[in-house]
Amino acid sequence: MRLFVLLWGLILPVSSWANASQPKVIASAPSEYTVKEGDTLWDISARFLANPWLWPKLWQANSYIDNPHLIYPGDQLRLVWRNGQPHLLKKKVVKLSPSIRIKRSPITTLQASVLLPYLAEHRLLSSGDVERLPRVLGDSKEKSYMSPGDTIWVDSVLEPGDWWVYRPGKVFTRQLSQEEDINPVRGLKEVAKVTVVGTTEELSQVRLQSLRQELRQNDVLLPASLPRKQGSLSFVPSEPPRDIRAMLLGHFDNQSYIAVSDVVVIDRGHLDNVSAGHVFRLYRSGAVVEGEKGGYQYKSSRYSSNQYPLSKIGLGEVMVIRPYEHFSLAVVMKATEPFVPTVLALPPVTDVPL
């Protein structure tokens, strides 16, 4: 019995997979909806579905749409049923004239203000690589606060051009197998932009162009990133492979508690078949009961012979926004309460109340 309870707490019931993989339309879902400015793909999918990560199964491609994943403000969406299954169609719009062209931007999966810093500016880098990056030495006048226009010294010879200054943050680690560890990664948060104005044999002088927060000695530099692209925001909510078991390692900004809209790091990446848009459900371990019949109590000793781990507790959902090799950045989409790091992130194949 103890073994059965333990396995039940760790393995998701196979019988629930079929039902969990079917779109479930909520009772308040409209039969028609006109997309508005400010809508996101997650908002719209949650307007129709109790399980928004199954959006690809609800959305139907129309032959006259060049890119069926793109939805624009003003588009009219219609909910229909075929063979007992829900489908969402986009009404075909009749063009008034070939000469009339209205440039529109498609809606994104999440608000751009949430995603862009982590897609275009913030990043994860191996701890070894971070140690080798150029570092801010300081200002010749020993200024504690440096403002735009100030010149700053860097401990390396830099190529001419623009550079981003980053604040090294928390270190994240994972074990690839029982015998093999992978290199830890470190969060880098962009704090300023500088331009190289001169070099010596060993140092560089840069001019501070803009600040996001106070520049400090020992901040690191990387060449300025490429221009932001709308395509980076066009992934869709989807299910990850069912065999993935991940751990939410912590907040990107090293905060103690995690809540809705926070960006976090999970210990699986694209080498584990994780992609942008994959949705995971979060769980923390349930209570452990120990003792013999008639004398059960919550666990107080690791030496009890009979222990019964109870079912996991659902905490919320996260969506991957940027996978790396062995880690990914994800945003918390739903949370029942603030929670601490090191919780399980599993494929959403069961209907655990959140």
Side-chain angles (χ1 to χ4, degrees):
M1 174 61 71
R2 185 179 64 170
L3 179 60
F4 173 77
V5 174
L6 178 61
L7 291 177
W8 179 266
L10 296 177
I11 302 176
L12 298 172
V14 176
S15 61
S16 67
W17 286 4
N19 292 335
S21 295
Q22 295 302 321
K24 296 182 180 179
V25 176
I26 60 177
S28 60
S31 58
E32 291 190 0
Y33 179 73
T34 300
V35 181
K36 300 177 178 61
E37 290 284 351
D39 279 346
T40 66
L41 194 57
W42 181 266
D43 294 336
I44 292 175
S45 58
R47 185 181 293 271
F48 289 93
L49 292 177
N51 39 13
W53 53 87
L54 294 182
W55 170 262
K57 295 188 178 182
L58 179 71
W59 181 250
Q60 295 295 296
N62 295 273
S63 59
Y64 54 84
I65 300 174
D66 293 333
N67 188 337
H69 292 303
L70 299 184
I71 300 175
Y72 297 82
D75 285 348
Q76 293 181 324
L77 308 179
R78 182 164 55 95
L79 181 66
V80 300
W81 293 82
R82 294 174 177 169
N83 299 321
Q85 295 299 318
H87 301 284
L88 197 63
L89 304 178
K90 183 159 66 172
K91 283 188 175 181
K92 185 174 182 178
V93 179
V94 179
K95 294 183 179 180
L96 298 177
S97 168
S99 63
I100 297 177
R101 294 181 179 270
I102 301 176
K103 186 175 182 180
R104 302 183 300 167
S105 297
I107 66 172
T108 56
T109 303
L110 299 173
Q111 292 290 348
S113 60
V114 173
L115 289 183
L116 280 175
Y118 298 94
L119 291 173
E121 298 154 11
H122 302 355
R123 61 189 65 196
L124 295 175
L125 201 64
S126 73
S127 295
D129 288 338
V130 171
E131 293 304 315
R132 291 187 286 270
L133 292 178
R135 298 266 179 170
V136 172
L137 286 170
D139 176 78
S140 295
K141 300 177 182 179
E142 296 186 45
K143 294 175 65 174
S144 58
Y145 178 79
M146 290 163 274
S147 56
D150 288 348
T151 53
I152 302 160
W153 288 97
V154 178
D155 68 356
S156 304
V157 178
L158 304 178
E159 293 291 330
D162 294 334
W163 290 69
W164 288 115
V165 182
Y166 293 86
R167 176 76 32 79
K170 185 175 180 180
V171 175
F172 301 97
T173 61
R174 69 173 274 199
Q175 190 174 41
L176 201 59
S177 65
Q178 291 290 341
E179 299 81 18
E180 183 182 7
D181 290 330
I182 65 170
N183 292 328
V185 296
R186 194 161 189 172
L188 296 180
K189 185 175 182 180
E190 183 245 300
V191 296
K193 187 177 183 179
V194 298
T195 299
V196 177
V197 294
T199 59
T200 67
E201 289 185 0
E202 298 180 347
L203 308 177
S204 294
Q205 194 173 35
V206 299
R207 179 173 289 112
L208 183 56
Q209 292 187 5
S210 60
L211 281 173
R212 290 188 178 272
Q213 62 185 81
E214 182 180 354
L215 195 70
R216 300 176 186 171
Q217 290 176 301
N218 299 301
D219 285 342
V220 300
L221 289 86
L222 282 169
S225 56
L226 296 174
R228 300 169 179 173
K229 295 183 179 180
Q230 185 72 25
S232 298
L233 304 175
S234 62
F235 53 82
V236 299
S238 59
E239 287 183 286
R242 290 175 175 170
D243 60 348
I244 291 181
R245 300 292 183 267
M247 181 76 71
L248 191 157
L249 298 177
H251 196 288
F252 190 87
D253 290 332
N254 205 22
Q255 297 179 9
S256 299
Y257 284 89
I258 298 169
V260 173
S261 298
D262 284 345
V263 172
V264 296
V265 177
I266 65 172
D267 67 346
R268 294 294 183 270
H270 66 75
L271 293 183
D272 305 292
N273 297 316
V274 171
S275 301
H278 279 167
V279 176
F280 290 83
R281 275 189 164 176
L282 303 176
Y283 301 88
R284 64 179 172 87
S285 299
V288 176
V289 175
E290 65 180 15
E292 304 297 335
K293 187 180 293 290
Y296 295 136
Q297 61 181 354
Y298 292 116
K299 181 182 177 182
S300 59
S301 170
R302 70 177 65 180
Y303 303 109
S304 175
S305 59
N306 290 323
Q307 293 186 349
Y308 303 88
L310 304 184
S311 61
K312 298 183 290 294
I313 300 169
L315 292 174
E317 298 159 1
V318 297
M319 181 192 296
V320 174
I321 60 173
R322 187 173 189 179
Y324 291 80
E325 286 188 352
H326 298 289
F327 301 85
S328 294
L329 297 181
V331 62
V332 179
M333 304 302 303
K334 187 176 182 179
T336 56
E337 60 188 45
F339 57 92
V340 296
T342 65
V343 298
L344 290 173
L346 305 177
V349 295
T350 58
D351 293 323
V352 178
L354 297 179

